[in-house]
Amino acid sequence: MSLRVLTGIKPTGVPHLGNYVGAIRPAVVASTLPGAESFFFLADYHALISTQDPVRVQRSTLEIAASWIACGLDPDQVAFYRQSDIPETTELTWLLTCVAGKGLLNRAHAYKAAVDRNRAEGMDEDAGVTAGLYMYPVLMAADILLFNAHRVPVGRDQVQHIEMARDFAQRFNHLYGEHFTLPEAAIEEQVATLPGLDGRKMSKSYDNVIPLFAPREELRRLVFSILTDSRLPGEPKDTEGSALFQLYQAFASAGETEAMRRAFADGIAWSEAKTQLFERIDAELAPLRERYQALVADPAGIERVLRRGGERLRDAHARPFLARLREAVGLRDLSLAPGRDAQAGDVEAKPALPVFKQYREADGRFHFKLVDGDRLLLQGDGFESPRDAGRVVAMLRSGAAAPRVDAAGRVWLDDAAVGVLGEGVDDDALLRALDRFAEDAA
Ligand code: TRP
């Protein structure tokens, strides 16, 4: 199975250059690389938590969908869909809600911040806090777990949500068998933060943004309003700390950036530097702007694209997966109830599968074990990263690589030792347990 990378996009207004450079452009590039399956969706259920203006939800969904397509996201190459077109998301949210620790949700940053604000103002703790805000992390976990995504690229502020998703998945797996992949946050450390017009980070809350699809003349005006110092033409200028230079760098090749660095040292006039910056940005954005205008002018076209993306995923993944999960938790066809005389064609209730558990030890390493009921079948070694441990678990589960057991009870995959048999377990018992995963999948 290839690596599944999943990203949720909250539909809130038209993006600005900072969103483009920091998030959209790198994600679109990554989605074209081989070896990964990309899922992008518009998190419109999530939008309802922060806005109760229906027209705004609709408009933002259109604009954000059009923005991503205009920036090169290819809906035929990636899964591109609208969260609310996959109602299995909400059904899974409920299944996860019933294993989610309330105490864990109490500690979610967004909820805690709201409570802290209320306390500071001497109000009731939960004043104005909806259960939607409180449940935000569970809905987000459902987005991720529904497609068994391996990796979720997010900013630092979202890491806690991914850890919660892992927690819910683990609890569910523990209770009902291995259904969910434990997702990992891919934190975008080196993502460029772009300076805004005033030199601070470009952000709507600072009112210093350049809208991504600003018409050419507005773009020119905004670029010319970028804050610079008062050095005159001919005076050498600092690239360090120059918003203008950083913006240029985000759009220029290495060679062009070097030339601009020299021009700064040689005392280029600010107006000339701004002209060059403006032309450089416009060269990249003009075709995107044109595509964007065409796309928003055809909402029915965007609607079709999103529906098609959603339907494909429902058929291929969401519906069958939810059917399996319903069965696992006991939302079952009563005519197949255990205890009734089995008839031809009836499905027998299967005994619970052995379970792989992954966890982190005090030594900081990532371990796994395979247990069948109370019995420890295999104690895995510690690995550097959860991904390494996950890979071994996936190999063992898939039956793709047959493990070998040596005389000392160590378990090997190819030529790597991965763990040791549990007390009193022989290699036969281990292999039989692993076979059950393959039978279950068949
Ligand atoms: N919470 C994310 C944000 O604010 C958006 C989001 C919703 C998301 N569901 C997700 C991101 C699932 C990644 C995976 O940006």
Side-chain angles (χ1 to χ4, degrees):
M1 189 167 53
S2 65
L3 189 77
R4 283 200 179 160
V5 184
L6 177 140
T7 307
I9 310 155
K10 264 221 288 205
T12 47
V14 208
H16 54 68
L17 282 195
N19 303 135
Y20 172 71
V21 169
I24 305 176
R25 194 172 61 182
V28 170
V29 170
S31 76
T32 64
L33 303 178
E37 233 182 309
S38 297
F39 290 65
F40 290 91
F41 68 93
L42 300 152
D44 58 347
Y45 281 143
H46 275 105
L48 302 185
I49 295 168
S50 45
T51 170
Q52 276 145 4
D53 175 350
V55 174
R56 202 165 127 211
V57 174
Q58 182 188 27
R59 183 72 203 166
S60 295
T61 305
L62 171 66
E63 288 175 351
I64 295 289
S67 298
W68 281 74
I69 298 173
C71 291
L73 194 75
D74 181 352
D76 289 324
Q77 295 303 316
V78 304
F80 187 51
Y81 56 103
R82 175 170 46 193
Q83 187 184 27
S84 66
D85 280 339
I86 317 247
E88 285 76 13
T89 306
T90 52
E91 188 171 6
L92 179 54
T93 299
W94 183 250
L95 301 188
L96 295 174
T97 300
C98 294
V99 300
K102 177 170 178 290
L104 192 62
L105 293 176
N106 289 340
R107 293 196 288 279
H109 298 317
Y111 169 68
K112 249 177 54 183
V115 167
D116 289 346
R117 257 193 317 275
N118 280 336
R119 277 209 198 110
E121 288 165 20
M123 313 231 279
D124 181 85
E125 283 199 346
D126 283 325
V129 176
T130 64
L133 177 67
Y134 191 71
M135 295 292 294
Y136 189 113
V138 189
L139 178 57
M140 181 159 160
D143 294 330
I144 299 168
L145 301 178
L146 181 57
F147 297 110
N148 273 331
H150 300 99
R151 190 179 297 173
V152 186
V154 286
R156 284 224 158 273
D157 61 320
Q158 297 290 316
V159 172
Q160 188 195 32
H161 293 148
I162 312 298
E163 314 229 302
M164 290 187 174
R166 290 176 67 89
D167 185 273
F168 308 150
Q170 226 151 2
R171 287 181 197 220
F172 192 97
N173 285 351
H174 177 67
L175 289 164
Y176 300 115
E178 289 290 304
H179 295 283
F180 295 124
T181 302
L182 304 189
E184 260 179 67
I187 306 157
E188 295 160 70
E189 299 280 11
Q190 75 292 30
V191 153
T193 48
L194 208 63
L197 300 175
D198 57 359
R200 291 184 293 173
K201 177 184 164 172
M202 190 178 289
S203 161
K204 249 187 240 150
S205 45
Y206 293 149
D207 200 16
N208 65 356
V209 308
I210 303 180
L212 180 53
F213 303 115
R216 185 174 153 91
E217 283 319 307
E218 189 192 340
L219 179 62
R220 186 201 305 274
R221 185 180 61 74
L222 288 168
V223 167
F224 272 78
S225 76
I226 293 170
L227 196 69
T228 51
D229 62 29
S230 54
R231 280 181 226 187
L232 300 171
E235 285 186 71
K237 303 186 170 56
D238 277 335
T239 53
E240 186 81 16
S242 162
L244 198 156
F245 185 78
Q246 282 179 56
L247 279 155
Y248 188 80
Q249 192 166 24
F251 286 88
S253 67
E256 290 167 325
T257 302
E258 255 332 285
M260 183 59 91
R261 194 186 296 284
R262 277 196 306 278
F264 266 54
D266 293 345
I268 187 173
W270 285 128
S271 60
E272 174 55 23
K274 285 177 172 176
T275 300
Q276 287 191 28
L277 170 62
F278 161 66
E279 291 297 350
R280 193 68 206 74
I281 298 181
D282 192 55
E284 180 163 334
L285 296 188
L288 277 54
R289 192 190 293 141
E290 210 170 297
R291 248 179 291 162
Y292 176 79
Q293 295 308 347
L295 287 161
V296 284
D298 177 24
I302 301 271
E303 181 67 28
R304 262 196 309 279
V305 166
L306 292 176
R307 285 211 193 166
R308 193 170 2 109
E311 265 154 33
R312 254 190 237 148
L313 287 176
R314 281 191 89 188
D315 288 345
H317 300 284
R319 279 206 201 87
F321 192 35
L322 250 295
R324 194 175 124 196
L325 296 176
R326 292 176 66 111
E327 170 72 24
V329 300
L331 305 177
R332 293 179 180 160
D333 180 338
L334 301 183
S335 69
L336 304 179
R340 182 175 168 271
D341 288 344
Q343 290 179 358
D346 274 358
V347 177
E348 259 177 62
K350 289 185 194 158
L353 284 176
V355 179
F356 278 103
K357 296 186 181 166
Q358 287 181 245
Y359 53 97
R360 195 170 189 180
E361 283 280 27
D363 63 5
R365 298 177 73 82
F366 295 86
H367 294 255
F368 72 88
K369 60 186 175 185
L370 175 64
V371 293
D372 190 9
D374 294 336
R375 188 162 175 233
L376 175 68
L377 296 173
L378 168 63
Q379 175 64 59
D381 292 339
F383 293 85
E384 281 299 330
S385 75
R387 197 176 316 156
D388 293 338
R391 205 168 280 142
V392 170
V393 168
M395 289 240 276
L396 288 169
R397 279 183 54 112
S398 70
R404 262 184 322 108
V405 181
D406 68 16
R410 294 213 37 84
V411 179
W412 297 74
L413 268 182
D414 296 326
D415 47 7
V418 297
V420 58
L421 289 179
E423 203 52 52
V425 174
D426 61 15
D427 39 347
D428 226 42
L430 174 65
L431 295 179
R432 256 186 288 121
L434 293 175
D435 279 347
R436 288 173 57 197
F437 288 110
E439 283 161 19
D440 185 63

